[in-house]
Short mmCIF file of all heavy atoms in Angstrom, two decimals:
data_model
loop_
_atom_site.label_atom_id
_atom_site.label_comp_id
_atom_site.label_asym_id
_atom_site.label_seq_id
_atom_site.Cartn_x
_atom_site.Cartn_y
_atom_site.Cartn_z
N GLU T 14 -7.17 24.55 1.26
CA GLU T 14 -7.66 24.47 -0.13
C GLU T 14 -9.07 23.88 -0.16
O GLU T 14 -9.38 22.98 0.62
CB GLU T 14 -6.74 23.60 -0.98
CG GLU T 14 -5.58 24.35 -1.55
CD GLU T 14 -4.71 23.49 -2.44
OE1 GLU T 14 -5.16 22.41 -2.86
OE2 GLU T 14 -3.56 23.92 -2.70
N SER T 27 -35.12 28.55 0.07
CA SER T 27 -35.73 29.85 -0.19
C SER T 27 -37.24 29.70 -0.14
O SER T 27 -37.80 28.72 -0.64
CB SER T 27 -35.28 30.32 -1.58
OG SER T 27 -36.08 31.37 -1.99
N LEU T 107 -39.09 6.76 -45.32
CA LEU T 107 -40.24 7.56 -45.77
C LEU T 107 -40.28 7.66 -47.30
O LEU T 107 -41.35 7.62 -47.90
CB LEU T 107 -40.20 8.96 -45.13
CG LEU T 107 -40.59 8.97 -43.65
CD1 LEU T 107 -40.33 10.34 -43.04
CD2 LEU T 107 -42.06 8.59 -43.47
N VAL T 266 -47.84 10.16 -58.06
CA VAL T 266 -48.48 11.19 -58.88
C VAL T 266 -47.37 12.12 -59.37
O VAL T 266 -46.73 12.81 -58.57
CB VAL T 266 -49.52 11.99 -58.04
CG1 VAL T 266 -50.19 13.07 -58.87
CG2 VAL T 266 -50.54 11.05 -57.41
N GLY T 280 -47.08 9.59 -36.89
CA GLY T 280 -45.77 8.93 -36.84
C GLY T 280 -45.50 8.40 -35.45
O GLY T 280 -44.52 7.70 -35.21
N THR T 293 -37.12 14.94 -56.35
CA THR T 293 -35.78 14.84 -56.93
C THR T 293 -34.93 15.97 -56.33
O THR T 293 -35.48 16.96 -55.84
CB THR T 293 -35.82 15.07 -58.46
OG1 THR T 293 -36.51 16.31 -58.69
CG2 THR T 293 -36.54 13.95 -59.17
N LEU T 336 -42.31 -1.08 -34.58
CA LEU T 336 -43.63 -1.41 -35.12
C LEU T 336 -43.59 -2.07 -36.50
O LEU T 336 -44.40 -2.95 -36.78
CB LEU T 336 -44.49 -0.14 -35.23
CG LEU T 336 -44.87 0.51 -33.88
CD1 LEU T 336 -45.51 1.87 -34.11
CD2 LEU T 336 -45.82 -0.39 -33.11
N GLN T 403 -61.82 16.37 -23.63
CA GLN T 403 -61.58 17.61 -24.37
C GLN T 403 -61.97 17.38 -25.83
O GLN T 403 -61.21 16.80 -26.60
CB GLN T 403 -60.11 18.00 -24.28
CG GLN T 403 -59.68 18.31 -22.83
CD GLN T 403 -58.18 18.30 -22.70
OE1 GLN T 403 -57.51 19.08 -23.37
NE2 GLN T 403 -57.64 17.44 -21.88
N THR T 452 -78.88 29.63 -22.59
CA THR T 452 -78.99 31.02 -23.05
C THR T 452 -77.64 31.40 -23.67
O THR T 452 -76.64 30.74 -23.44
CB THR T 452 -79.29 31.96 -21.88
OG1 THR T 452 -78.31 31.71 -20.88
CG2 THR T 452 -80.68 31.73 -21.33
N GLN T 460 -66.49 34.75 -27.35
CA GLN T 460 -65.20 34.94 -28.02
C GLN T 460 -64.22 33.84 -27.58
O GLN T 460 -63.53 33.24 -28.41
CB GLN T 460 -64.65 36.33 -27.62
CG GLN T 460 -63.35 36.70 -28.29
CD GLN T 460 -63.53 36.85 -29.80
OE1 GLN T 460 -64.60 37.19 -30.27
NE2 GLN T 460 -62.49 36.54 -30.56
#
Side-chain angles (χ1 to χ4, degrees):
E14 275 182 16
S27 165
L107 286 172
V266 180
T293 53
L336 294 171
Q403 296 164 60
T452 52
Q460 183 65 29

